[in-house]
Amino acid sequence: MSDIKKVVLAYSGGLDTSVILKWLQETYHCEVVTFTADLGQGEELEPARAKALAAGVKAENIFIDDLREEFCRDYVFPMMRANALYEGLYLLGTAIARPLISKRQIEIAHQVGANAVSHGATGKGNDQVRFELGYYALDPDIKVIAPWREWDLTSRSRLIAFAEEHGIEVTKDKRGEAPFSTDANMLHTSSEGKVLEDPWEETPDYVYSRTVNPEEAPDTPEYITVDFERGDAVAINGEGMSPATILETLNEYGRLHGIGRLDLVENRFVGMKSRGMYETPGGTIYLEAHRGIEQLTLDRGAGHLKDELMPRYAELIYNGMWFSPEREMLQAAIDHSQESVTGTVRLKLYKGSVQTVGRKADVSFNLYSQDVVTFEDDKGIYNQRDAEGFIRLNALRLRLLGQRKRGG
Amino acid sequence: MSDIKKVVLAYSGGLDTSVILKWLQETYHCEVVTFTADLGQGEELEPARAKALAAGVKAENIFIDDLREEFCRDYVFPMMRANALYEGLYLLGTAIARPLISKRQIEIAHQVGANAVSHGATGKGNDQVRFELGYYALDPDIKVIAPWREWDLTSRSRLIAFAEEHGIEVTKDKRGEAPFSTDANMLHTSSEGKVLEDPWEETPDYVYSRTVNPEEAPDTPEYITVDFERGDAVAINGEGMSPATILETLNEYGRLHGIGRLDLVENRFVGMKSRGMYETPGGTIYLEAHRGIEQLTLDRGAGHLKDELMPRYAELIYNGMWFSPEREMLQAAIDHSQESVTGTVRLKLYKGSVQTVGRKADVSFNLYSQDVVTFEDDKGIYNQRDAEGFIRLNALRLRLLGQRKRGG
Amino acid sequence: MSDIKKVVLAYSGGLDTSVILKWLQETYHCEVVTFTADLGQGEELEPARAKALAAGVKAENIFIDDLREEFCRDYVFPMMRANALYEGLYLLGTAIARPLISKRQIEIAHQVGANAVSHGATGKGNDQVRFELGYYALDPDIKVIAPWREWDLTSRSRLIAFAEEHGIEVTKDKRGEAPFSTDANMLHTSSEGKVLEDPWEETPDYVYSRTVNPEEAPDTPEYITVDFERGDAVAINGEGMSPATILETLNEYGRLHGIGRLDLVENRFVGMKSRGMYETPGGTIYLEAHRGIEQLTLDRGAGHLKDELMPRYAELIYNGMWFSPEREMLQAAIDHSQESVTGTVRLKLYKGSVQTVGRKADVSFNLYSQDVVTFEDDKGIYNQRDAEGFIRLNALRLRLLGQRKRGG
Amino acid sequence: MSDIKKVVLAYSGGLDTSVILKWLQETYHCEVVTFTADLGQGEELEPARAKALAAGVKAENIFIDDLREEFCRDYVFPMMRANALYEGLYLLGTAIARPLISKRQIEIAHQVGANAVSHGATGKGNDQVRFELGYYALDPDIKVIAPWREWDLTSRSRLIAFAEEHGIEVTKDKRGEAPFSTDANMLHTSSEGKVLEDPWEETPDYVYSRTVNPEEAPDTPEYITVDFERGDAVAINGEGMSPATILETLNEYGRLHGIGRLDLVENRFVGMKSRGMYETPGGTIYLEAHRGIEQLTLDRGAGHLKDELMPRYAELIYNGMWFSPEREMLQAAIDHSQESVTGTVRLKLYKGSVQTVGRKADVSFNLYSQDVVTFEDDKGIYNQRDAEGFIRLNALRLRLLGQRKRGG
């Protein structure tokens, strides 16, 4: 293990990564570089600096980066262009953040001359896979340290004992029976484990932190508009905003109206089923809005192809394959389809649900034609008699099959 | 046209099909057989008999069939096994009813010795395609009469004039500006045209007929359970029911809680976009419940394959290809996956939304294992160190790609 | 019909299009513009000019264009990047030429102010669809005249009678029982109809015109190399060439060695099966070479995704959907995958078959690593013990399924 | 390791598995049960019995089973129904044999009360994955011993030293530089490693053992017929045969005419590329014949769906996922499509290639209709004017896109 000289740790400043930081120093006798990303998880990040310093990390080895705009612009929005849902329901809030963290960790490793990286994901989950596939894709020679798979701190009590021995602060809530694993960023908050492990038991309301209970949401619906340009949201209620501001604003609407709660049993890449709770307030609104504008501006052939490719695309992101050629190929196809996805969607927010109630687009983007669809006179654009030939030729092979069934 | 001797008309007893009945008699000088299907559309059907008799149809040429159980058992439930959604949102309520009507019409044609069939679908819509692909698949030599594509009653006023000339009753609401086209059956009610044609305008509340406005739904959530066996619902709140009773019962819950309203701009098979309103109260609950039980009982490989096949399957149904070999192939695959989809789902209904909050299954169906997933000791079922090899081999090709990018 | 002022006809100078030219003049009393494309079909095109002039076409209304390079560069090569085969076997030689002809016809129409286009494809085939989908996609208001669907010259004898009445030369071979429909361009020659209509009868050798019978090909194999850059062939035997020269050179090799003959019963877009004969000498070699270089330079994830998308892509081209958004989306994905498809393939040509026998690529393109794959010492790149974890986690869901089958 | 009581070893009697047998006895001090399968690999199997006895295996612990009919009927033929090709070219000859071996090993384990199984596949290849996924799927609690990943006999010389120390016969050819890894069964023979490791070097002719060099094949083509029923071959040249006899007979034809040689660089499931040589004489003929009969008897919709699903299906088999729910789902879809795939194909065999030159089927299976396709009078089955409507409605969305491009 003496070949580990310097390691970049994905560091939150919380109990687990604080223990890891100390454990890395003790186990590998190496220099530890901490990297703390602001992905909009809603926590103060400066305390992480103080803790790292206290743990003996050199000031120049502490990296705290605000990645919110990059996260939204280069990860969340491209994913939303695909209407990505894993297993029909999950908006991939954790999965989409991992590649960005991996990428930044590798960049820092190259910058500081580290030859290893480390993370705090456990050995049963998806996140270890996502982090490490990212690391290896971006630096095939990097060494990866996954403490949860290596150390002997395999129970909560041993971890806490280690912390106390090493003077790491253990807050009261960490001692109790809190959900073992949570994750948060601008797009979502997730929880797994403990009280959620029995999939027949309803998720207790106290597990939710990002949305009001729909029953306590306003009794009056609220309407908002979202403007899209080339597949990405650019304005809310007519006010232009940066990607991160778009998502933060939608998060506020979602929180208020109790939108985006999901209780799910899902299939992990490592082969087991797990039960989780997700809150994706702004993302849920965004997805509905994006589908809404596509309804008007996306061609049927493009839309159906997107729908068929989407499950694979979502699976790739879920499995940590963001930096794979096949994800990039699918992205190229999806992005090509979004060139004319420009217009405005009107949404109704009410007690846990969001629905498209109106969409409009300029004539240079709109494919919906009242003239064509009308039951009234359509001025000759569509000749109803064409339908006969259309049907008869689509039916021809079915008729030949029918003749065969009758014995020729 | 003298080769039309006897024609079986899909007949509702309403204005349009009454005009068609008369027009067929006048135009083809042929015997008309009327077929009226009870698909749970919630209308009295006996008046259709009186009207047919009054129009000169012989008593033995009037067919009124209760197809509700067959519809649910052989069409709706198999489709639900696929979690079918067209364009991500539409539950295919109209599309799934058409093949059954076509099938029964052809059976009657064979029974009464008719050599033609007719329907009241217009020349711009999907339903003409669905009816006629069904006819041709089941009887390749059948003659099809589609009055809306043939006659000159191309405006509403000419149609009404024809009705009045021929003593056909025209109710007041038919004279006004009602939505031009509606369809209803047990699974859903749809509306298109007129007030809905501007996709920026919110659907007026009076267009909805099957659900209360969510804002007027009860202020207290309601919980129900649905039991599944081999992929199909068999009981609600523990009470065993026939397929049609299942759907009717869920419709009642959906109506009460304002569930299943959809405002959509969709792509028709004939090549244009249209805007429609759908209400699918019970079906929306059913789909959520089915996804819920699959979460626990369906293998990941099976589930992901289903998700990838689903858009194609839904498209086939939408396009009227129910009787195609490729729909049957997909059904065979889907049905195979449902053999162990057995268990109970608990749902929360509240102001327009339905959510799975619990699911359970017997040990012989359940694939979720608390023992495996737990962060605590899993008794050796899962060795966390296996994850390293899993990740490293999944990463191998990405590392080779990374090496290449660096120039080998 | 008086709204047809000027029509651009896809004109070969042969009997059929000569009759169409005259028929258009007589039927529509309009100006006819002839367009003759050199797609490498191996015929003199200047006689078409003389014939058009003789038929009264103005000199400035005669267009004869050499499209060979554009055809190869922008149509054949992009298609080959996908390894496109329709129904597993057909290299799409006719289908890929139609969009280019359509595109040029519409360009000429705009240039000369014509408001209509016309072609000589029959009413049962795929080519009418391909031409017309191209026309409509590129000019939604263009008028399309398809004489074979409109006129009454529905038998061979009536067509010839019309020709003779109008002084159109009818060569002797056109009077006999030659295959009714042939098509030729640089990529292939096809024949359908007459002697080929019985699919049990072997295609007579005289139907082939582009390749020697394999039995008469040289008794000694020949080896050639093809160099690829970013997915496209750029050199043969080390000699750099333009796209069209590449294909012409491969055609020569293919002709000599009897490569690329195909006897096929295929499914037409219009719903029937037909039996055809294809000769694609150079294209068959090209496809093998392209697959060969991809073996070395294309990542597995990219390659498998390509393989899954290919049948759809081929179907789109076959059906005339070249100018559709979904074909463009797939092209974007495919092209993205080709960025590193650079290297050299060595092929063996012998009596009707072509096989890759060697491939090599620079280290910056090659993904094959002798060091990794070797059974000998691999210097630690691959740790065989990783395979255990890889297998065990891939097996986990199968084990849980197995436990369930046993009753938990 | 004391928990291994009895282990069932997949045993060929060759050097490697003889060493493994001895190593298992020494390492685990357990009873070893040998299982030798006759999959038509063309070797005497009785010597394996003598060797096992000599190694101290009890007579009742030696299993030698003739699995040839089961292999063809339940594995090869179902796979051929899918026209399965991995990466466009490989007929999966090794991959398809592994699940049957795994299944029989587990059956024997249950019969003799063994709690472990073992195989001789190396730690870099696909076969370890295929064997072990099969084991785990069929017995989730089975213990798996993979000596190549565990022991220290990691070089050829150490293996041979161990053999000599333990009195295991080492034939001369095993001492030289033969290809390290070969596999053979009725369907194919494969070779990898050593002289094949440089993918630029042509495979030397001496590596091939199952086919003559095409250059030495007969100078005269040979014609044969193959009859199919419901998707499976049942007769050759009109003579009914069992599945295994069909394949053996086709192997003879293939051997004689040099058919089925393949030189491939492929992507292994474990993440690397490898170069291999395959000979699949009978399988190559079978696949061509099966495609030939499908051309006449399989509907377009079914055929295109099959083509799209095939790459995934082939990948699943390649990756060892035969016993997965998703492979079974795909098989259900594929098998459904084969119900009418009945008829006769005529093939031409000549110097390395096989081509369909004729196919016929009874009227109750045939979908090809000379009447429909003919350029001559088709008696009204197909109305050419229908094509106009067909094209115009297929074009509608392209026209709307075209209008939009022009700015509405």
Side-chain angles (χ1 to χ4, degrees), chain A residues 141-152:
Chain A
D141 298 327
I142 200 75
K143 292 180 199 312
V144 174
I145 304 170
W148 283 100
R149 298 199 304 258
E150 296 181 20
W151 66 23
D152 56 358

Side-chain angles (χ1 to χ4, degrees), chain B residues 1 8 20 53 180 190 244-246 256 275 309 319 328 354 370 397:
Chain B
M1 291 187 177
V8 181
I20 288 171
L53 286 168
F180 204 89
S190 69
T245 313
I246 291 273
L256 182 67
R275 196 269 191 99
L309 298 178
N319 289 355
E328 292 173 5
V354 49
Q370 222 159 324
R397 66 184 180 93

Side-chain angles (χ1 to χ4, degrees), chain A residues 133 309 312-313 315-317 319-334, chain B residues 394 397-398 401, chain C residues 298-306 308-309 333 336-337, chain D residues 315:
Chain A
L133 292 181
L309 298 177
R312 175 77 64 93
Y313 176 88
E315 182 185 70
L316 287 168
I317 293 177
N319 288 354
M321 290 287 177
W322 180 264
F323 295 112
S324 70
E326 62 270 34
R327 201 279 309 170
E328 292 173 4
M329 285 171 66
L330 291 174
Q331 194 74 55
I334 290 158
Chain B
N394 274 303
R397 66 184 180 93
L398 302 178
L401 282 161
Chain C
L298 192 67
D299 165 69
R300 182 186 70 197
H304 289 200
L305 179 57
K306 279 190 68 197
E308 291 191 52
L309 298 178
H336 187 279
S337 76
Chain D
E315 182 185 67

Side-chain angles (χ1 to χ4, degrees), chain D residues 31-47:
Chain D
E31 203 172 340
V32 177
V33 178
T34 61
F35 163 55
T36 308
D38 186 353
L39 292 164
Q41 59 269 52
E43 281 173 11
E44 279 302 301
L45 302 186
E46 280 309 312

